[in-house]
Amino acid sequence: MPQSPTPSTLVLTAPLSGVLVPIDRVPDPVFAQRMVGDGVSVDPVSQVLVAPCNGRIVQLHSAGHAVTLATDEGIEVMMHIGLDTVTLKGQGFTPRVANGDRVAGGDPLIEFDADFVATHARSLLTQVVVTNGDRVVSMRPASGRVVAGRDPMLEIVLGTAGPQVAVADATEVVSPDIVVPTATGLHARPAAVVAAAAKRFKANVRLRRGTADANAKSVVAIMGLEVGSGDAVKVVADGPDAQAAVLSLTALLRDGLGDEGAAPARPRSTEPRPDATATALPAPAPATVPPQDPDLFVGVAASPGLAVGHVVQVRPEEIAVETTADDPVAERRRLETVLEQAKGQLDALQGRLRADADAGKAAIFAAHEELLDDPDLREIAEHAIATGKSAAFAWHQAVSTHADRLARSRNELLAARANDLRDVGRRVLRLLAGAPTERGDLPPNTILVAEDLTPSDTASLDRTRVLGFCTTGGGATSHVAILARSLDIPAVAGIDPRVLDLVGGTQVVIDGSRGTLRRNPSNDEVARIRGTLERRAARRRAEVADAAQPAVTRDGRRIEVVANIGSAADAAQVVGLGGEGVGLLRTEFLFMERASAPDEDEQTESYLAIVRAIGPHRPIIIRTLDVGGDKPLQYIPMPAEDNPFLGERGIRLMLGRPDLLRTQLRAILRASAEGRVLVMFPMVATLTEWRAARTLLEEERARLGAAPIPAGIMIEVPAAALMADQFAREADFFSVGTNDLTQYTLAMDRGHPKLAARVDGLNPAVLRLIATATEGAHRHGRWIGICGGIAADPQAVPVLVGLGVDELSVSVPALPAVKAQVRTLDATSCAVLAARALTLDHAADVRARVPEAE
Ligand code: PEP
Ligand code: MG
């Protein structure tokens, strides 16, 4: 029988017998990332879920696989049997309680057929989580084996707030008047501090000035309140942690928001992978203008290019919804209907994008469609509907809770998905509230400025009117940044929030390569930029016209120029832009944003589609899956790692999951029947890894009876570069991944916003490793290419040619410019330049010796 040793501690006993598993080991990010709540998981050996303490059943899921119990202390404990068991639609589960029932610890709640569930669902792991964690100070899960109804499983230390707070969801908590002491009132910067603080709470938090209310989680809404210095405001909140939110924000506002002059923490964002930004434009370089220039706003380069235009501020729309509703059944039905409508909209959008041969963007909306089917999201919404909330309110709350948790994730890719979730959430909310679906027309020469743009915003962008955009949030891995690059439109992410103060119509220059926005440029500056843009356009036309010509230096050295691609849509453009093949096919596109790995046939078809687009005689280097650590996959359990870039990544991860690697190798081998396919392994650090990978390749080849294909490695770990001559005895070729090689050589995270400017592949230390790898390759008659971002950097190309590399693999748009540049070079002079570069002190010294293209 559970008991509370002190009034503020609650001990839950095990609801099932079995072995306890830490929640972050559960192979489902929804639980592992604690999106539903914190707690513990049980790998069960018993078949009756029993109450872990006394309480009342507040929600029994209609599929019978999950139940939530509210304890007498007001803590809501959700027990979720198995993973993805909602899809069993009740089969295998026999509930022993009903909503509203009072239960004692040890009472049976749900019986289940473990054999059936284990064979029909992803896992039997049963999660026990607290869904209203704001009441909890700390939790201590037990470990090891437990017996149901007997052994303690989770000790929960409760906060001081009384039980009435936990049930005060619908009650508004209002602060006294707070006089805003900051000198400039709540303009963008302090507003951003308030919004960041408000976002830490689940409650709806608003700022009230007189009769006007603003969403305290929105910088723009707060600014819209126009609170001046000395004005009085109130903090108003309702929801689970309303009281804590009001106390915290009141203190923050009274204290002058910490140091008002200090900028709020810039949203963590990353430099784009340089190759994704490569075009005929100069390489991304750090902004060199002093940041104190009041007309200059600095962010992170998200998509290259330069444009002059006028600001249009994009404010997030506020959609008003009713909080409660009388008929939960009708509300649930409404939600179902609207979710179907939203799917219809997304289908139509994907159809349109596919018709425009934009499979990349279509895939993003396919992922949105999957989010609509997310069982946990629905479950949370249905739970709220069952407690009397309207469908719109319940949906909004479910999406916000999920999205806020995602946004707080230490994992950048997951954090970036928060914006996608909010986007699809708003689509549904608009339908539920009957709000208009499209934004109005934009004026010509628009530069959009926003806290964040959603993929839907960018997909419906009129490219003839929008010249660029910048967001205070987001990073280079966000979908918005990816879309900007695919639209070939300059974009800056993570920019100084002061941009939100810019008046609509202000003339600005956006430089997506440097990550800056400049306001009120002089007429001379505008004229100069327009001249530059015209010259670039003319040069681009000439380069594209000559794209089919080979890249041969003036003194006769041929460099193979091939493409980095990540989708069939990229492949379709390679040959037309002069690509002599594919130097790097990033196969991650096939594996991301889905619930299970693609099978052998699906992979074979995808690779064959690319082989057919490139042609049977051009080389296509297919890189095996490079995920892990920083790039998690839903269906591969990956415990959180302290140093993901140094953890289970690339080939290390795949060698630990040989079934996945074997399947991929078979698909690659099958696709090789129709073209010149080569296979390449990423992140190889040791000869042992390489040999293990090669053995698997050989075994699968023999099993299929396929012809041998060349196998090579990425050189992106310094160890591999230093051991290149030994690798070259066995591997058929090398391709240097300078993005990773640079970060590992300099021990600087390639996505770190503060270090971005220093993570430069032209650092002489990196160049020395490339020189070593090149010598090692050539000593054994192997060829070596570069597929990292610097391969398309106009200042790096002469140095790389001088170091003797044989191939440059660059992003598709960069192909014509790189070929054209190689044709202007003299290989002998390049060799002199490269030899000198190896002796220099800094990357900047190397860059100083190579003229920057305009
Ligand atoms: C690299 O590291 O340079 C590379 C090409 O691989 P990725 O950018 O995919 O890690
Ligand atoms: Mg890499």
Side-chain angles (χ1 to χ4, degrees):
M1 193 69 176
Q3 39 187 297
S4 304
T6 72
S8 59
T9 303
L10 171 70
V11 177
L12 302 183
T13 48
L16 286 165
S17 300
V19 178
L20 295 180
V21 177
I23 197 79
D24 57 6
R25 293 273 164 81
V26 174
D28 181 337
V30 170
F31 289 109
Q33 306 272 339
R34 299 180 170 81
M35 291 179 197
V36 183
D38 202 356
V40 65
S41 179
V42 195
D43 197 356
V45 292
S46 61
Q47 308 201 41
V48 182
L49 184 86
V50 302
C53 62
N54 299 342
R56 195 169 47 81
I57 302 300
V58 289
Q59 206 217 359
L60 175 68
H61 197 281
S62 52
H65 68 297
V67 61
T68 304
L69 173 149
T71 72
D72 298 340
E73 294 81 1
I75 295 298
E76 292 187 357
V77 182
M78 183 200 224
M79 286 154 278
H80 190 286
I81 303 171
L83 295 177
D84 289 350
T85 35
V86 67
T87 54
L88 300 182
K89 299 197 163 82
Q91 255 190 300
F93 298 97
T94 315
R96 294 287 173 223
V97 284
N99 281 329
D101 281 359
R102 171 104 209 138
V103 292
D107 284 354
L109 303 177
I110 301 173
E111 273 178 39
F112 60 98
D113 177 343
D115 279 349
F116 177 83
V117 177
T119 48
H120 289 80
R122 196 142 64 90
S123 164
L124 255 183
L125 279 179
T126 295
Q127 290 57 245
V128 182
V129 295
V130 172
T131 53
N132 55 347
D134 49 294
R135 290 284 326 278
V136 174
V137 174
S138 65
M139 274 189 208
R140 234 189 347 226
S143 59
R145 282 194 175 278
V146 284
V147 173
R150 188 191 78 181
D151 294 333
M153 177 196 62
L154 191 62
E155 186 180 303
I156 304 171
V157 179
L158 303 178
T160 47
Q164 69 278 15
V165 174
V167 292
D169 258 48
T171 316
E172 219 175 56
V173 182
V174 184
S175 75
D177 274 345
I178 310 156
V179 176
V180 173
T182 49
T184 46
L186 295 185
H187 70 95
R189 188 164 295 180
V193 178
V194 173
K199 280 181 191 157
R200 288 200 289 269
F201 298 94
K202 281 197 221 130
N204 294 306
V205 191
R206 297 178 302 286
L207 273 193
R208 183 169 294 164
R209 175 171 170 265
T211 52
D213 259 15
N215 178 353
K217 296 181 183 178
S218 158
V219 177
V220 176
I222 297 173
M223 283 167 30
L225 269 188
E226 296 177 8
V227 177
S229 180
D231 284 354
V233 294
K234 284 182 164 60
V235 182
V236 183
D238 64 273
D241 48 4
Q243 200 154 353
V246 169
L247 285 176
S248 163
L249 264 82
T250 304
L252 187 72
L253 283 160
R254 281 214 176 110
D255 292 350
L257 303 164
D259 175 6
E260 196 278 318
R266 176 90 54 83
R268 180 171 160 77
S269 51
T270 58
E271 277 293 308
R273 296 186 165 195
D275 81 281
T277 71
T279 65
L281 311 181
T288 49
V289 192
Q292 57 265 42
D293 177 347
D295 287 328
L296 187 73
F297 302 84
V298 181
V300 165
S303 175
L306 194 60
V308 185
H310 298 275
V311 165
V312 172
Q313 296 276 1
V314 180
R315 314 278 176 184
E317 65 211 294
E318 291 289 336
I319 303 171
V321 297
E322 292 294 333
T323 310
T324 53
D326 295 334
D327 183 352
V329 176
E331 289 302 297
R332 186 170 309 148
R333 215 174 299 125
R334 256 189 88 215
L335 180 60
E336 287 301 324
T337 312
V338 160
L339 287 172
E340 287 310 311
Q341 269 174 293
K343 281 192 202 165
Q345 284 184 354
L346 288 167
D347 274 342
L349 191 54
Q350 287 169 65
R352 229 170 47 221
L353 291 166
R354 287 213 181 87
D356 291 349
D358 205 341
K361 249 187 276 170
I364 290 174
F365 292 102
H368 280 199
E369 210 172 321
E370 265 186 41
L371 284 173
L372 291 180
D373 274 330
D374 184 291
D376 295 278
L377 202 59
R378 286 185 176 212
E379 199 169 317
I380 296 172
E382 282 173 14
H383 179 270
I385 290 175
T387 61
K389 298 285 189 279
S390 72
F393 185 87
W395 173 256
H396 179 57
Q397 212 177 26
V399 167
S400 311
T401 310
H402 245 57
D404 289 352
R405 288 204 177 116
L406 279 175
R408 282 198 297 270
S409 164
R410 280 176 54 201
N411 179 304
E412 283 204 17
L413 275 171
L414 277 184
R417 295 296 87 85
N419 193 27
D420 289 284
L421 182 54
R422 292 204 177 97
D423 186 13
V424 76
R426 259 196 301 272
R427 180 180 294 281
V428 172
L429 204 59
R430 263 188 239 117
L431 287 168
L432 282 167
T437 37
E438 302 287 345
R439 293 186 188 275
D441 276 350
L442 292 164
N445 298 333
T446 288
I447 308 282
L448 292 177
V449 174
E451 265 186 86
D452 237 334
L453 289 170
T454 64
S456 299
D457 286 331
T458 44
S460 52
L461 275 187
D462 180 350
R463 183 68 189 84
T464 60
R465 285 165 182 261
V466 178
L467 302 183
F469 54 79
C470 61
T471 57
T472 58
T477 49
S478 66
H479 273 153
V480 171
I482 294 167
L483 285 171
R485 295 198 282 268
S486 80
L487 286 167
D488 203 10
I489 184 173
V492 180
I495 197 164
D496 188 331
R498 286 186 303 129
V499 290
L500 300 174
D501 293 335
L502 288 175
V503 174
T506 306
Q507 192 174 41
V508 289
V509 177
I510 183 169
D511 187 337
S513 310
R514 289 173 186 269
T516 61
L517 186 89
R518 170 180 285 288
R519 95 174 128 196
N520 297 333
S522 65
N523 290 343
D524 280 358
E525 200 177 340
V526 171
R528 196 159 28 81
I529 289 166
R530 294 223 161 103
T532 303
L533 289 172
E534 271 158 32
R535 281 192 298 282
R536 281 182 189 176
R539 191 173 64 209
R540 174 86 185 158
R541 282 193 295 276
E543 287 165 356
V544 170
D546 285 347
Q549 303 302 317
V552 182
T553 61
R554 286 190 280 120
D555 50 348
R557 224 182 111 210
R558 168 99 193 237
I559 304 289
E560 193 161 27
V561 180
V562 287
N564 287 354
I565 64 170
S567 68
D570 289 345
Q573 301 173 49
V574 170
V575 176
L577 288 173
E580 294 166 323
V582 170
L584 169 64
L585 167 58
R586 290 185 168 104
T587 54
E588 291 77 65
F589 77 101
L590 267 173
F591 291 79
M592 310 291 284
E593 314 272 11
R594 51 190 295 159
S596 56
D599 64 15
E600 184 182 323
D601 286 346
E602 183 184 343
Q603 288 191 54
T604 308
E605 277 314 308
S606 301
Y607 303 146
L608 276 174
I610 288 168
V611 169
R612 286 170 195 148
I614 300 297
H617 304 301
R618 295 189 186 91
I620 299 162
I621 302 181
I622 304 184
R623 180 176 77 181
T624 59
L625 185 62
D626 182 14
V627 293
D630 66 317
K631 293 184 253 178
L633 289 182
Q634 226 185 74
Y635 44 89
I636 303 185
M638 295 180 204
E641 293 182 316
D642 285 342
N643 290 303
F645 278 120
L646 303 181
E648 274 203 286
R649 208 199 136 177
I651 197 65
R652 294 177 199 165
L653 181 98
M654 292 295 268
L655 288 173
R657 310 278 190 298
D659 48 323
L660 266 183
L661 183 52
R662 283 182 188 278
T663 305
Q664 185 170 33
L665 292 172
R666 278 197 303 276
I668 293 171
L669 285 160
R670 281 169 60 188
S672 73
E674 289 195 27
R676 260 183 77 193
V677 171
L678 300 83
V679 64
M680 175 158 73
F681 300 107
M683 297 294 305
V684 173
T686 65
L687 283 145
T688 312
E689 288 167 347
W690 147 253
R691 285 174 191 155
R694 187 192 50 185
T695 302
L696 292 189
L697 173 69
E698 186 45 35
E699 282 173 9
E700 293 309 319
R701 189 195 69 74
R703 197 171 299 165
L704 284 173
I709 58 173
I713 60 165
M714 300 267 302
I715 300 272
E716 44 190 352
V717 178
L722 293 167
M723 299 285 280
D725 59 338
Q726 269 145 281
F727 278 105
R729 292 201 183 103
E730 304 172 22
D732 294 309
F733 64 90
F734 295 156
S735 186
V736 185
T738 47
N739 308 338
D740 277 312
L741 185 62
T742 308
Q743 81 163 341
Y744 292 125
T745 304
L746 301 177
M748 290 184 190
D749 181 343
R750 73 194 234 182
H752 196 298
K754 279 206 186 130
L755 303 178
R758 282 181 272 164
V759 187
D760 188 337
L762 281 185
N763 187 298
V766 180
L767 296 179
R768 285 184 189 205
L769 287 172
I770 298 175
T772 304
T774 307
E775 276 166 34
H778 289 170
R779 196 175 310 154
H780 296 281
R782 312 297 185 187
W783 64 263
I784 180 166
I786 306 283
C787 63
I790 63 169
D793 177 340
Q795 287 187 290
V797 169
V799 181
L800 297 172
V801 169
L803 288 174
V805 304
D806 306 288
E807 176 233 51
L808 295 172
S809 190
V810 301
S811 68
V812 176
L815 287 162
V818 172
K819 290 183 91 176
Q821 188 184 3
V822 170
R823 290 193 287 264
T824 67
L825 299 175
D826 176 81
T828 315
S829 320
C830 288
V832 174
L833 170 72
R836 180 83 182 101
L838 297 180
T839 67
L840 296 174
D841 293 348
H842 307 288
D845 300 336
V846 180
R847 290 197 179 274
R849 272 157 210 275
V850 193
E852 204 177 333
E854 195 190 26

